[in-house]
Amino acid sequence: MLKKIEALGAGLLERLVPGVDAAACGWKHWENCWQCGGRPCSVNTCNADLICG
């Protein structure tokens, strides 16, 4: 069940934040994220945490 949830999360991350390599763990930063209403954001590629700046 956990593998299905992880796969779903990785697929969702790819749709929401294009260009992220989910295999490379770390933080990716963008200046303009639609998920944050156009504000900067950071995404943890290991667990898909999204932080709006």
Side-chain angles (χ1 to χ4, degrees), residues 5-21:
I5 293 171
E6 288 175 349
L8 181 61
L12 184 60
L13 179 63
E14 289 175 12
R15 290 178 189 245
L16 296 178
V17 185
V20 170
D21 179 4

Side-chain angles (χ1 to χ4, degrees), residues 19-37:
V20 170
D21 179 4
C25 287
W27 287 92
K28 301 288 183 175
H29 308 280
W30 286 270
E31 292 298 319
N32 186 347
C33 296
W34 67 267
Q35 301 95 321
C36 298

